[in-house]
Amino acid sequence: MRIVILISGRGSNMKNLVEAYYDDESPAEVIKIISNNPDAEGLEIANQYHIPAVIIDHTKFDSRFDFEEALHAEIIKDKPDYICLAGFMRILSPLFVQKWPKQIINIHPSLLPAYPGLDTHKRVLEAGEIVTGCTVHFVDEGVDTGEIIIQKQVPILPKDTEETLADRVLTNEHLLYPHALRIIKQEFIFRNITIRPNE
Ligand code: GRF
């Protein structure tokens, strides 16, 4: 199973998926990293692991449509099985999402459908929640609304700040994303078995 990862920043989930490939259970081969941000720290990590990295800077395009056309053209070159979003900070339009039905996967730092969107940890703490978590889901036309693949609960401690909570959730994200890809890989293998009843 081959994946392209889209990032915008730090790239810790990306690094983790790259490293998971070298583990015994190797869920997916990372064939390319694409960043919309030329300054993303994750680009340096891609370099260290000798993974082809491409910058498609959204600010250089006149419209979201043009940016997404360029993004699609770059991704299709490698014919990946899945596109994994890992801290990719652009909302993908329905037009783009429809080109990759059930092939775009995202990780989100809350127990969806609760707390979609940005600033999740701040909102979770303000609401006085005692548990939060992270979710890996397919991307559909909405924001963080796609079919959930797997979730993991994370406790909130009384003295938590946004930073301590974000760290604890991130540690769990690093467990969850490779696990989600292992689940998807099982389905992927099954889907690609050709059944020839007459043989
Ligand atoms: C993660 O918390 C992820 O859930 C969210 O953005 C953050 C990206 O972090 N979508 P990193 O770039 O993978 O370190």
Side-chain angles (χ1 to χ4, degrees):
M1 191 167 89
R2 302 159 78 251
I3 61 172
V4 166
I5 303 182
L6 308 191
I7 62 166
S8 298
R10 181 177 54 185
S12 73
N13 276 291
M14 177 213 88
K15 178 171 187 273
N16 187 58
L17 289 180
V18 170
E19 287 178 350
Y21 179 62
Y22 297 107
D23 287 352
D24 287 346
E25 292 179 66
S26 57
E29 181 183 4
V30 182
I31 49 175
K32 185 178 279 174
I33 309 291
I34 302 177
S35 173
N36 68 302
N37 171 13
D39 301 320
E41 291 165 56
L43 289 168
E44 181 51 34
I45 300 170
N47 201 18
Q48 284 163 11
Y49 283 88
H50 305 288
I51 295 177
V54 175
I55 298 164
I56 303 180
D57 182 350
H58 65 281
T59 65
K60 303 274 191 258
F61 294 85
D62 289 337
S63 65
R64 181 186 297 271
F65 178 82
D66 289 348
F67 166 67
E68 290 184 348
E69 283 286 293
L71 187 60
H72 179 72
E74 186 59 47
I75 297 170
I76 203 84
K77 280 182 197 167
D78 295 292
K79 296 192 176 68
D81 301 303
Y82 292 94
I83 301 167
C84 293
L85 311 185
F88 182 65
M89 301 304 284
R90 306 299 301 165
I91 289 172
L92 295 167
S93 73
L95 197 64
F96 183 91
V97 171
Q98 283 157 14
K99 286 178 183 159
W100 299 93
K102 261 191 124 179
Q103 283 179 288
I104 310 175
I105 301 163
N106 183 40
I107 187 157
H108 182 79
S110 79
L111 290 176
L112 291 173
Y115 303 100
L118 298 174
D119 297 325
T120 49
H121 305 306
K122 182 168 182 280
R123 289 185 287 136
V124 159
L125 288 173
E126 281 170 0
E129 304 280 8
I130 55 168
V131 66
T132 184
C134 41
T135 303
V136 179
H137 64 98
F138 287 111
V139 174
D140 68 4
E141 285 87 348
V143 176
D144 301 326
T145 53
E147 182 189 331
I148 290 170
I149 298 161
I150 192 167
Q151 299 186 291
K152 192 168 190 308
Q153 288 193 346
V154 177
I156 299 174
L157 306 182
K159 286 189 178 161
D160 265 335
T161 62
E162 267 185 69
E163 289 70 31
T164 58
L165 184 57
D167 282 352
R168 192 175 313 116
V169 172
L170 190 67
T171 302
N172 283 278
E173 289 182 41
H174 292 167
L175 297 172
L176 196 68
Y177 214 162
H179 189 52
L181 291 187
R182 277 180 212 115
I183 293 168
I184 288 167
K185 189 174 181 180
Q186 289 310 310
E187 256 188 52
F188 175 79
I189 292 167
F190 187 70
R191 198 157 29 92
N192 285 286
I193 295 173
T194 311
I195 300 167
R196 298 190 185 87
N198 297 327
E199 282 180 13

